[in-house]
Amino acid sequence: MGFNHSLLRFAGIASFSLLLAACSSSQVQEPDLPEHAYYEKAQQAFSEGLPATAAKNLQELDSRYPFGEFSTRAELDLIYAQYESGEYLSAHASAERFIKNHPDHDAIDYAYYMRALSTYVGSQSLLQRYLDTDPSKTDPKELQKAFREMSDFLQRYPNSDYAPDGKARMVFLRNTIARHELQVAKYYLKRKAPLSALKRSQAVIEHYPSSTSVEEALAISIQSYNDLKLDNLALLNLSVLQKTYPDSSHIDEQGNFIPLPLPSDADPSFWYWVSFGLIG
């Protein structure tokens, strides 16, 4: 009992000593700068091309003066600073936070735009993960997310100053995702999986009808139905192709369907689109 009592007493003294040390160390921390000083330091960092430093100062301002005079401006600037620093996930999170906290702000369209843009540009980096020898395993979900977010921004703020850029990026996203889907569909046709190929081609027709890939999607659908021995559905899709694209390269002079030449693994154009342009 005496030994245990001494041990507990020693532990109590040690804990108290650690508490005193912690208190003394906290006393030597540098005092906070005035709110405007953090904001000015951030603007100076921007002017010197140092967005990461700007982001650090803006985060300091936000944590020390969350309801200050510069807090809302700092939240907007932080989105841009993180984006310029390549911190796309952080920029996206900051944009979402601004949207939640300031739904009626004059610059809310900018927050929606930057949210979508952060996903869009971040997805370009994520494409490095898609370098797989089996294109059916690739997943363009980040590009699809960017497409949805940019569409949301344009629907909410069609007259925004950022709308023209958003529309241009939407066109690129639509065509890239659709082209990728078709190359994966061709991969399935090559691997004798026509049902999987059909699902990919039909997804393009349904979800990206204004893309540049609809004609080829119809052709893949026809070939998939032919491989599945569903002749009536193949003829139905052929009639749609003939009416919509009368000069299609997939139709001969007699109106018959021309089977698709399937790419080989060595075809650079095949891997170019499967990898979103990273190969070939």
Side-chain angles (χ1 to χ4, degrees):
M1 290 293 292
F3 173 76
N4 289 337
H5 178 73
S6 299
L7 183 61
L8 289 171
R9 183 169 176 270
F10 174 76
I13 294 171
S15 299
F16 182 71
S17 299
L18 288 173
L19 179 61
L20 287 176
C23 290
S24 64
S25 66
S26 65
Q27 292 173 354
V28 298
Q29 289 181 351
E30 293 185 8
D32 293 347
L33 295 172
E35 182 187 6
H36 70 85
Y38 286 109
Y39 192 76
E40 290 168 2
K41 288 176 68 175
Q43 300 311 307
Q44 180 65 29
F46 276 130
S47 67
E48 295 174 358
L50 301 171
T53 302
K56 180 180 178 182
N57 282 286
L58 293 166
Q59 287 170 321
E60 288 283 341
L61 187 156
D62 182 60
S63 64
R64 297 173 190 273
Y65 302 96
F67 306 106
E69 177 186 356
F70 295 89
S71 62
T72 304
R73 276 183 281 175
E75 287 183 49
L76 279 172
D77 286 353
L78 179 59
I79 299 169
Y80 179 73
Q82 290 170 329
Y83 173 83
E84 285 294 305
S85 302
E87 299 292 335
Y88 303 118
L89 290 176
S90 296
H92 186 277
S94 294
E96 293 239 310
R97 176 191 172 198
F98 189 90
I99 291 168
K100 180 180 178 180
N101 293 340
H102 310 283
D104 299 319
H105 194 277
D106 290 343
I108 191 66
D109 62 322
Y110 173 77
Y112 274 96
Y113 168 73
M114 288 300 293
R115 181 183 70 166
L117 187 63
S118 297
T119 302
Y120 172 88
V121 178
S123 68
Q124 308 301 304
S125 300
L126 289 173
L127 294 181
Q128 296 292 339
R129 301 178 185 177
Y130 297 147
L131 297 182
D132 196 293
T133 55
D134 181 353
S136 67
K137 294 180 181 179
T138 65
D139 186 359
K141 64 181 180 180
E142 285 299 310
L143 287 175
Q144 292 168 343
K145 179 182 176 183
F147 185 86
R148 290 192 302 270
E149 290 179 344
M150 197 65 77
S151 177
D152 183 36
F153 156 67
L154 290 170
Q155 288 176 1
R156 290 174 183 271
Y157 308 102
N159 299 319
S160 169
D161 291 341
Y162 310 103
D165 181 74
K167 291 176 182 177
R169 293 182 191 275
M170 282 276 288
V171 171
F172 171 81
L173 286 166
R174 181 187 298 115
N175 289 334
T176 301
I177 295 169
R179 188 70 180 267
H180 169 74
E181 291 294 297
L182 293 192
Q183 289 300 340
V184 176
K186 288 182 179 180
Y187 173 86
Y188 281 130
L189 284 176
K190 178 182 175 183
R191 295 294 185 263
K192 308 300 181 184
L195 183 58
S196 295
L198 179 64
K199 289 179 179 178
R200 295 280 183 159
S201 63
Q202 291 295 304
V204 170
I205 295 169
E206 180 180 353
H207 298 299
Y208 308 102
S210 59
S211 72
T212 56
S213 298
V214 173
E215 178 185 351
E216 192 168 10
L218 284 167
I220 290 175
S221 295
I222 296 167
Q223 186 148 330
S224 298
Y225 282 127
N226 282 333
D227 291 350
L228 291 165
K229 309 302 182 185
L230 298 173
D231 298 337
N232 290 337
L233 289 174
L235 289 173
L236 177 62
N237 278 262
L238 176 58
S239 67
V240 174
L241 180 64
Q242 291 169 335
K243 292 177 182 178
T244 311
Y245 302 97
D247 298 323
S248 174
S249 59
H250 302 293
I251 306 171
D252 64 19
E253 294 180 357
Q254 288 73 43
N256 300 312
F257 175 68
I258 302 174
L260 292 168
L262 298 180
S264 68
D265 290 343
D267 183 358
S269 64
F270 174 69
W271 289 109
Y272 177 86
W273 285 107
V274 165
S275 67
F276 295 99
L278 293 175
I279 298 178

